[in-house]
Amino acid sequence: MIIKIIMNTDLFYREFGKILKRLRVAAGLTQGELAERIGLSRTSVTNIEVGRQKIPIHFLFILSSTLGVDPVQLLPQKEKLSEQYPETKGFSEVLRDNPDLNNAGQNWLSRVLKPYLTEEHDNEDEKGRKGS
Amino acid sequence: MKMRRAEREANRIIDEMEITSPPVMIEDIAKRHGAKIHYEPFEGDDDISGVLYNDEKNCIIGINSSHSRTRQRFTIAHELGHLVLHNKKFFVDKAVKVSFRDKRSSMAIDNNEIEANQFAAEILMPRTLIEKEIRKLIVKKNYIQNKELFIKELASKFAVSFQSMEFRLNNLGILISL
C-alpha cells in the first residue's frame, strides 16, 4: 500500500478562497462589489471564498486584474498543497474538521489513520507482492 | 457536574475490569473498548500527543510514540475519555470525529478536553488505589516526611509522570498537609 502524492483539490480551493478574500478586502471591495465587477452573483463570490465553488482558469486573470494584482498572487503556496494525502473520504473529512493542523501534523495523522481507513489497495504497489 | 461524569465513568471501568493494583493497564482497557492503538513517532513543530478517530467502522487511538511512556499512557487515557464520554453522538450522527490532544488541550481550554483530562487522571490514578498505596507506603517507610520522594514513589507505581501525580494528589486533597 502506498500513499499517493496527490494534490488535495479541496484544500487548493479553500486556500485559493482565503487568498482571494484577503486580496479583496485589501482592495477595499465587498463581496457584492467584486461580484458585480466580474459578472458573478454575490453568492458565487461567497462560495469561491470558502472553497465551495471551483472557478475556471480564465477567472484567475479576471480576478487579478480586477483586484490589481499579479495572477500568481492569487495562487496558494505549493508546499501547502502537495502533501501526502490519503484519498479516503474519511480522511479528508478529518482534515476538514481540523483546519489548524500544519503539514507535519497532517502527515502524522495520515500515517496513523491511513492503514485503517484505506478501503481500496493500490494495485501498483501490490505488484510482485501478490499472495504475500 | 461534567467532572462527576468523568469520575463516575472512570470508576465504573476500574470496577468492571476488576483493577485492584497499579499500574492501570490502560492500553488493555482501551482495547477492550474496541479501540485499535497505533503508535507513531511525530517530529514536528506541533505538539500532537494523540488522536481519536471514531466512525461506525473504525475506532483508532493514535499515539505520538516520540513522547515518554508516562505521557503516552496519559494520552491513551485521555483519548479513551473522549471515546467513553463524548462518544454517543457519533453513533447517532454516524459522523466522523477526531479529537486531538495537543498544547491547547493540555491547557484544558474546551470542556471536552477538560473532561477527558479529568477522566485520564481518574482512570490512571483511581482514588481508592492511591489511598491503598499510600497506606502501604506509610506502613513500610516514613515517606510522609519527604514530599518529593513520596510523589516519586507513587508516580512510579502508577506509571504516570511526577507532575501528573502531584497534580492528582493536590486535587484529591492528599497533599495539602505536606
Side-chain angles (χ1 to χ4, degrees):
Chain A
M1 185 189 343
I2 60 163
I3 299 172
K4 281 187 200 159
I5 309 292
I6 57 156
M7 184 186 279
N8 183 325
T9 52
D10 285 350
L11 187 60
F12 176 93
Y13 284 99
R14 275 207 309 279
E15 288 297 321
F16 178 82
K18 279 189 218 163
I19 296 167
L20 175 62
K21 183 176 182 177
R22 201 182 64 232
L23 294 175
R24 170 181 63 75
V25 172
L29 296 175
T30 64
Q31 286 185 337
E33 285 164 352
L34 177 64
E36 207 182 314
R37 291 188 194 189
I38 61 177
L40 290 177
S41 69
R42 196 193 60 80
T43 316
S44 285
V45 172
T46 307
N47 285 334
I48 292 167
E49 288 190 352
V50 296
R52 267 199 302 266
Q53 188 166 326
K54 296 167 182 170
I55 61 156
I57 285 180
H58 71 276
F59 261 92
L60 191 63
F61 291 86
I62 295 174
L63 283 168
S64 60
S65 65
T66 307
L67 294 170
V69 299
D70 198 274
V72 176
Q73 280 181 258
L74 279 160
L75 296 176
Q77 295 289 309
K78 205 167 115 194
E79 301 84 81
K80 285 193 173 178
L81 304 169
S82 53
E83 277 303 324
Q84 295 186 340
Y85 288 110
E87 284 178 296
T88 57
K89 195 184 168 212
F91 191 79
S92 52
E93 280 174 29
V94 167
L95 289 182
R96 210 170 304 143
D97 291 346
N98 294 279
D100 297 344
L101 275 184
N102 66 15
N103 287 337
Q106 290 180 359
N107 282 335
W108 181 81
L109 190 60
S110 152
R111 291 198 304 276
V112 170
L113 297 182
K114 179 70 177 172
Y116 305 96
L117 300 189
T118 307
E119 272 152 40
E120 47 196 309
H121 290 263
D122 195 292
N123 290 329
E124 277 175 18
D125 192 49
E126 295 298 317
K127 266 182 203 165
R129 290 208 279 118
K130 268 177 190 160
S132 67
Chain B
M1 209 162 71
K2 283 206 148 190
M3 290 297 188
R4 294 234 175 89
R5 199 162 73 94
E7 186 174 354
R8 204 168 58 230
E9 287 302 311
N11 288 331
R12 183 184 57 76
I13 291 167
I14 292 289
D15 287 348
E16 260 176 30
M17 296 200 59
E18 296 175 351
I19 292 159
T20 52
S21 65
V24 172
M25 294 301 162
I26 192 65
E27 189 178 324
D28 292 346
I29 296 175
K31 283 178 181 164
R32 279 278 293 271
H33 281 78
K36 291 173 201 144
I37 299 182
H38 184 103
Y39 292 90
E40 188 71 37
F42 178 84
E43 294 94 16
D45 299 334
D46 257 11
D47 199 14
I48 293 177
S49 297
V51 61
L52 171 70
Y53 179 98
N54 188 30
D55 65 18
E56 61 264 45
K57 272 193 260 169
N58 290 292
C59 177
I60 302 142
I61 291 178
I63 299 295
N64 178 355
S65 56
S66 304
H67 284 158
S68 68
R69 177 171 165 259
T70 54
R71 179 137 180 221
Q72 289 181 46
R73 279 170 53 77
F74 195 90
T75 304
I76 295 172
H78 176 99
E79 303 306 342
L80 179 64
H82 279 309
L83 182 62
V84 170
L85 300 165
H86 313 134
N87 181 4
K88 267 176 194 156
K89 69 175 174 185
F90 312 145
F91 285 110
V92 172
D93 296 339
K94 299 235 192 308
V96 175
K97 171 75 181 179
V98 167
S99 303
F100 278 98
R101 190 166 174 252
D102 57 12
K103 278 184 198 134
R104 247 181 324 165
S105 62
S106 53
M107 288 190 288
I109 288 166
D110 92 51
N111 250 343
N112 284 351
E113 298 305 318
I114 295 171
E115 214 176 14
N117 280 342
Q118 182 70 14
F119 175 91
E122 294 284 348
I123 199 161
L124 291 174
M125 299 166 279
R127 176 191 280 273
T128 50
L129 294 195
I130 292 233
E131 286 172 349
K132 204 165 115 185
E133 290 305 314
I134 289 177
R135 260 179 255 121
K136 279 200 237 167
L137 280 181
I138 294 171
V139 171
K140 252 165 65 181
K141 292 175 192 167
N142 202 2
Y143 272 115
I144 295 301
Q145 306 261 327
N146 188 332
K147 180 179 157 185
E148 301 286 309
L149 210 59
F150 175 73
I151 297 170
K152 215 175 143 189
E153 180 80 13
L154 279 176
S156 111
K157 274 197 192 306
F158 285 81
V160 297
S161 70
F162 183 92
Q163 288 78 6
S164 290
M165 184 51 78
E166 187 176 30
F167 192 73
R168 179 70 172 147
L169 292 175
N170 275 315
N171 255 354
L172 289 173
I174 288 169
L175 266 185
I176 43 167
S177 58
L178 292 168

